[in-house]
Amino acid sequence: MHIKQNISLKSYNTFGIDVLADFFISVSNVDELQQVLALKSHPNKLILGGGSNMLLTKNFKGLVIHINIKGIEIISENDDFATIKASAGENWHEFVLWCINNDFGGIENLSLIPGNVGTAPIQNIGAYGVELKDTFVSCEAISLETKNLKTFTKADCDFGYRNSIFKQHAKGKYIITNVTFTLSKKNHELHVNYGAIKSQLETMQISQPTIQEVSKAVIAIRESKLPNPKEIGNSGSFFKNPVISKSNFDTLLQNFSDIPSYPVSEDEVKVPAGWLIEKAGFKGKQFGDFGVHKNQALVLVNYGNAKGSDILNLSKLIQKTVKRLFDISIEAEVNIL
Ligand code: EPU
């Protein structure tokens, strides 16, 4: 077991924030992880997956455990479906590409989402009409209390919009070590009605897309709208899209007749936070080394050497302005540490 000291976390978070961890270890299997968790010498621990959904605002005074457990396995299959288990440390997009190359369908709309397999269930990643929960079967996780493995079924996970048990009462209590999915082998059920995919496929002149082509369309959309974290530090959507009551929405419509919305229930709608932030004048605004992305106002960016606190302060200013203008509270989607 090799614990390093004073390690920069810059390359371990997609925002590219340069903070230091007092201690750091990368673990490549479950046994090693269990041993590290049992260490009494490091009571303060931070678990790091792909680092794609966090904003680090200060040095970490403790032990960072980087989950680097790899492996993809076909557990079972019949003519129609394959059940696949992927380890937590697999990069999400590479896992999607592996599935597409094997012609396993169901997660092609989730192409190019940053992060790792093990952190994907925490916020039930989603894009273009598909969410992780649609193909999720179960996951295994280590309890930080008992250090034992526990299986969580789909029902146990209580998935919602960018939400799961791992963001609610199981928060900070488990480390996901692998995730199992059921994917289709033929007659793939495609989700291509989402506006942006439809028009991208039209541009590509494809009317009967394969899962490979859907993935290509999604990649093209994301590349045109969202900054690549390898080039410009970011954490995808910084905020969640707020859900508001229909009556509040109707009041807003009187002043903002072009406000978009998606139905949620009989009396609630979801409003794109990107629209609210753009209307509030923040889209494309740059303040030195940080700002709001020019093509997608939901994404805050680090152009170089921004501090986590710079981005946090900007996010607070955005929240305050949106609240003042629309009386809507927008909540951060990323974890702030
Ligand atoms: N919009 C604007 N200005 C902007 C951005 C968006 O007006 O700068 C409005 C437009 O009306 C647009 C609508 O918002 O039609 C929706 O925009 P988009 O399709 O880009 O989706 P989103 O609601 O902004 C969500 C997810 C994204 C996901 C896309 C596509 C959340 C918080 N974000 O964004 O997820 O890729 O839908 O399905 O739900 C992520 O979580 O990191 C992420 C990128």
mmCIF file of all heavy atoms in Angstrom, residues 49 62 199 334:
data_model
loop_
_atom_site.group_PDB
_atom_site.id
_atom_site.type_symbol
_atom_site.label_atom_id
_atom_site.label_comp_id
_atom_site.label_asym_id
_atom_site.label_seq_id
_atom_site.Cartn_x
_atom_site.Cartn_y
_atom_site.Cartn_z
ATOM 1 N N GLY A 49 -13.744 9.667 -7.532
ATOM 2 C CA GLY A 49 -13.930 8.817 -8.712
ATOM 3 C C GLY A 49 -13.322 9.546 -9.899
ATOM 4 O O GLY A 49 -12.120 9.801 -9.945
ATOM 5 N N GLY A 62 -6.474 15.424 4.825
ATOM 6 C CA GLY A 62 -6.805 14.038 5.136
ATOM 7 C C GLY A 62 -6.311 13.155 4.005
ATOM 8 O O GLY A 62 -5.410 13.532 3.253
ATOM 9 N N SER A 199 -32.547 16.749 -34.919
ATOM 10 C CA SER A 199 -31.987 17.626 -35.951
ATOM 11 C C SER A 199 -30.560 17.230 -36.316
ATOM 12 O O SER A 199 -30.169 17.347 -37.481
ATOM 13 C CB SER A 199 -32.097 19.103 -35.561
ATOM 14 O OG SER A 199 -31.675 19.293 -34.264
ATOM 15 N N VAL A 334 -23.347 20.090 -8.699
ATOM 16 C CA VAL A 334 -22.036 19.566 -8.307
ATOM 17 C C VAL A 334 -21.886 19.592 -6.784
ATOM 18 O O VAL A 334 -22.538 20.368 -6.102
ATOM 19 C CB VAL A 334 -20.865 20.370 -8.931
ATOM 20 C CG1 VAL A 334 -20.946 20.403 -10.438
ATOM 21 C CG2 VAL A 334 -20.831 21.775 -8.398
#
